[in-house]
Amino acid sequence: METWGMVIVVLLQAAYISGTAVESTIPTTLDGPFSPVTVALGDEEFRGNAVDLPDTDPRVVRRVKGFEPEQISVSLSAAADSVWISWVTGDFQMGPNVQPLDPSSVSSIVYYGRLRDQLTLVATGNSLVYSQIYPFKDMLNYTSGIIHHVPLAGLEPGTRYFYRCGDPLIPAMSATHEFRTMPKLGPKSYPKRIAIVGDLGLTYNTTSTVDHMKSNEPDLILLLGDITYANLYLTNGTGSDCYSCSFPKTPIHETYQPRWDHWARFMEPIVSEIPIMVVEGNHEIEEQVENKTFEAYQSRFAFPAKESRSSSAFYYSFNAGGIHFVMLGAYISYKKSGKQYKWLQRDLAAVDRTVTPWLIATWHPPWYSTYASHFREAECMMVEMEELLYSYGVDIVFCGHVHAYERSNRVYNYTLDPCAPVHIVVGDGGNREKMAVAAADEPGHCPDPLTTPDGMGGFCAFNFTSGPAAGKFCWESQPEYSAYRESSFGHGILEVKNETHALWTWHRNQDSYNSIGDQIYIVREPHKCSIQPALAAEMNPLFRDY
């Protein structure tokens, strides 16, 4: 017995050493900064063709009857003990004259529990209907089905729950679904895998991305804006990958709102069981009469705004174990004098890094991207907010918008800095507008600065005054802050291992799901970097009149 015990120990040690050897082949940010790399992926076929799923695809057609729930999704609240369940009952209407459904005619009820056959807990919520109105000749108006949002509170962290939603009196109830709450708050507790994707849309590349993402079994999904691309279509459903090119004379920028319903039906099998958190992109603006914007975005998702002391669905925060996520809005005011900036100050000041060591920020348009598409477009937001995020030691920034993949070295104010965040762009989930291929540093591809206004209409990107691009708007070669870039559809997986190490993996769609495009351990060094100390919320003067 003693001999067999020693053999087992030796085998376990060998396995451990072998595993460590494999892990050690993955670079870490401590090995950087890295020399810039551009991966050439060959022909257009590799990048994929952005072809829409048709309205007749069985994955997007309505499959329920009457007021049975559909488009079911789970999203997180600010803490691990609560989630939101959202769904739609009743069908949308399209036409010159639409009559909205009465939200009070159908109840918003969720039965839930820890055992599939014992859903003894009950929660109720609220419901609403939104409309997209265009009182112009030949344009069709839209009104949604009844959208329900129900909060579930008092949940146990890291626990599987089962639920059914709907109205039992009609009766119109969903099938039974399940979800798992986030791990408990603390520095030793993390979701196993977080999927991060941007600019998803509803194309055949979207289906590849979502299938691939699901195969990686994430515990949480972050979607970084440009969700459905409904605004690439006229109200009659005619679409284009360049709206302004194909429809230059429309009196208002139309959208085809059923695209939202199609997208939510397609996504339901995954987001009814895996929580999804979203932030708005430019394609969610969807202007209509009376200067209304973002109606679909604000109506269809539940946001932990109130729970995170935000007054807006455009910016909020939440915790997932030892990670504090900050979701920011690039298409509302981000100025230092504005509500969002002041909220961000308060939120960051309240973060206790001994409890949530990791601080991750996301928004839609990137500050650091070297592609010609949207080059330096978010410079005004960067001018206003970068110093604040840097002073509180944000570890990683995730963005979308640019339809390619890029990972930076640690960078602050265009300068390599070991205490700055790693910026990662994942704006290539499957969008209708195809890939970004040309880099701004390639001959003939540096854009005219006057063609790069930011989302709020400002111009902040001018010629550089110092550094290797001094006197120029673009670099003449891939800048040193850009560690890795490639044009491919796909998604990323973040695996936070402990207080200091997180494994980031970029998965391309076109590699049969078996190979990895980019992989690195992002390593925190809090002992080397000065971080603004957290202040207790009740003692922080920034909170006093909030």
Side-chain angles (χ1 to χ4, degrees):
M1 289 293 293
E2 183 176 344
T3 302
W4 277 111
M6 294 184 64
V7 169
I8 291 171
V9 168
V10 170
L11 289 174
L12 288 172
Q13 288 177 336
Y16 177 80
I17 293 169
S18 174
T20 303
V22 171
E23 293 288 298
S24 68
T25 64
I26 300 173
T28 80
T29 50
L30 301 181
D31 301 322
F34 301 94
S35 298
V37 170
T38 298
V39 176
L41 297 176
D43 57 22
E44 192 72 20
E45 182 180 356
F46 185 90
R47 298 189 180 100
N49 296 312
V51 178
D52 275 337
L53 262 67
D55 294 359
T56 56
D57 189 288
R59 291 168 288 186
V60 305
V61 298
R62 192 167 189 258
R63 298 181 292 276
V64 300
K65 298 178 181 179
F67 287 97
E68 294 175 352
E70 64 160 351
Q71 305 179 40
I72 303 168
S73 65
V74 183
S75 56
L76 301 180
S77 186
D81 64 352
S82 57
V83 304
W84 289 86
I85 306 296
S86 303
W87 70 93
V88 175
T89 54
D91 205 359
F92 65 82
Q93 302 169 51
M94 285 285 292
N97 298 297
V98 291
Q99 296 296 321
L101 297 171
D102 178 7
S104 66
S105 65
V106 182
S107 297
S108 307
I109 298 176
V110 175
Y111 294 101
Y112 64 105
R114 294 172 65 170
L115 299 175
R116 181 181 291 272
D117 58 353
Q118 295 184 30
L119 306 182
T120 57
L121 302 173
V122 183
T124 60
N126 58 73
S127 59
L128 62 101
V129 168
Y130 82 92
S131 299
Q132 194 83 9
I133 304 298
Y134 302 111
F136 301 100
K137 183 181 178 181
D138 299 327
M139 290 189 187
L140 302 177
N141 296 318
Y142 171 95
T143 185
S144 71
I146 301 171
I147 301 169
H148 305 261
H149 299 299
V150 176
L152 309 187
L155 306 176
E156 291 293 326
T159 301
R160 183 171 64 172
Y161 284 86
F162 298 90
Y163 72 96
R164 297 180 69 200
C165 58
D167 186 338
L169 297 181
I170 292 180
M173 294 295 294
S174 73
T176 300
H177 298 277
E178 63 181 81
F179 65 88
R180 183 173 292 276
T181 53
M182 289 296 101
K184 65 180 180 180
L185 191 68
K188 305 291 185 182
S189 180
Y190 299 95
K192 189 173 182 181
R193 297 185 189 89
I194 301 170
I196 301 175
V197 64
D199 302 65
L200 197 54
L202 193 57
T203 69
Y204 286 102
N205 281 296
T206 306
T207 67
S208 297
T209 296
V210 172
D211 287 347
H212 193 185
M213 183 170 63
K214 188 175 181 180
S215 73
N216 280 321
E217 300 181 343
D219 300 299
L220 173 65
I221 299 169
L222 301 186
L223 177 49
L224 309 181
D226 286 2
I227 298 164
T228 70
Y229 290 84
N231 74 337
L232 290 183
Y233 305 81
L234 302 180
T235 59
N236 64 12
T238 302
S240 171
D241 57 9
C242 176
Y243 183 100
S244 60
C245 305
S246 300
F247 317 122
K249 297 181 180 180
T250 55
I252 192 171
H253 191 124
E254 303 174 46
T255 77
Y256 185 58
Q257 288 297 297
R259 207 70 185 161
W260 281 95
D261 297 279
H262 301 158
W263 183 88
R265 290 168 186 158
F266 172 77
M267 292 294 293
E268 179 181 335
I270 184 170
V271 299
S272 61
E273 302 199 341
I274 301 172
I276 183 169
M277 304 301 284
V278 300
V279 68
E280 75 279 4
N282 56 297
H283 283 274
E284 280 72 71
I285 296 173
E286 298 186 313
E287 181 184 0
Q288 56 177 303
V289 293
E290 299 179 351
N291 296 318
K292 288 185 178 180
T293 54
F294 294 103
E295 285 293 295
Y297 172 79
Q298 294 186 86
S299 300
R300 290 178 175 272
F301 299 101
F303 304 94
K306 182 178 180 181
E307 300 93 321
S308 60
R309 302 192 176 199
S310 166
S311 60
S312 171
F314 301 120
Y315 52 90
Y316 61 92
S317 65
F318 65 95
N319 295 316
I323 311 169
H324 185 73
F325 286 98
V326 176
M327 316 288 275
L328 299 178
Y331 301 98
I332 59 169
S333 175
Y334 38 67
K335 292 185 177 296
K336 290 181 174 67
S337 58
K339 290 182 178 179
Q340 179 176 204
Y341 187 93
K342 292 177 179 178
W343 169 84
L344 180 59
Q345 284 182 307
R346 293 188 290 263
D347 189 82
L348 294 176
V351 175
D352 185 346
R353 302 300 282 272
T354 65
V355 178
T356 53
W358 287 88
L359 181 53
I360 296 176
T362 78
W363 57 87
H364 185 59
W367 295 347
Y368 290 98
S369 167
T370 60
Y371 285 90
S373 176
H374 305 299
F375 182 64
R376 299 179 69 187
E377 190 178 281
E379 201 98 356
C380 291
M381 183 183 182
M382 176 179 169
V383 168
E384 296 289 332
M385 288 186 160
E386 186 177 28
E387 182 179 5
L388 179 62
L389 295 178
Y390 176 79
S391 69
Y392 279 97
V394 169
D395 298 299
I396 314 172
V397 171
F398 290 105
C399 295
H401 198 46
V402 176
H403 299 162
Y405 171 74
E406 187 164 13
R407 171 176 54 82
S408 79
N409 286 305
R410 292 190 178 276
V411 58
Y412 169 63
N413 193 24
Y414 291 110
T415 303
L416 299 184
D417 186 322
C419 295
V422 174
H423 289 253
I424 298 175
V425 181
V426 291
D428 40 4
N431 64 84
R432 169 71 185 264
E433 296 174 310
K434 301 182 180 179
M435 299 302 307
V437 178
D441 50 79
E442 295 173 341
H445 289 294
C446 180
D448 182 336
L450 295 181
T451 66
T452 60
D454 82 334
M456 297 299 293
F459 287 89
C460 295
F462 305 103
N463 287 352
F464 289 97
T465 57
S466 62
K472 304 180 183 69
F473 185 70
C474 300
W475 287 262
E476 293 181 347
S477 60
Q478 186 173 353
E480 62 180 359
Y481 75 72
S482 175
Y484 182 103
R485 67 186 182 192
E486 65 173 53
S487 294
S488 63
F489 289 105
H491 75 287
I493 294 289
L494 181 70
E495 302 172 69
V496 178
K497 303 295 187 179
N498 52 42
E499 298 97 315
T500 58
H501 285 66
L503 179 62
W504 167 252
T505 306
W506 168 248
H507 295 271
R508 302 177 188 133
N509 282 358
Q510 286 81 5
D511 289 350
S512 301
Y513 301 172
N514 293 322
S515 66
I516 292 167
D518 180 36
Q519 191 170 54
I520 190 168
Y521 274 104
I522 298 173
V523 182
R524 300 181 62 247
E525 294 186 283
H527 59 289
K528 291 186 178 180
C529 302
S530 175
I531 296 175
Q532 288 274 18
L535 299 177
E538 63 274 10
M539 298 178 63
N540 186 348
L542 289 168
F543 280 104
R544 284 177 184 166
D545 298 320
Y546 189 71

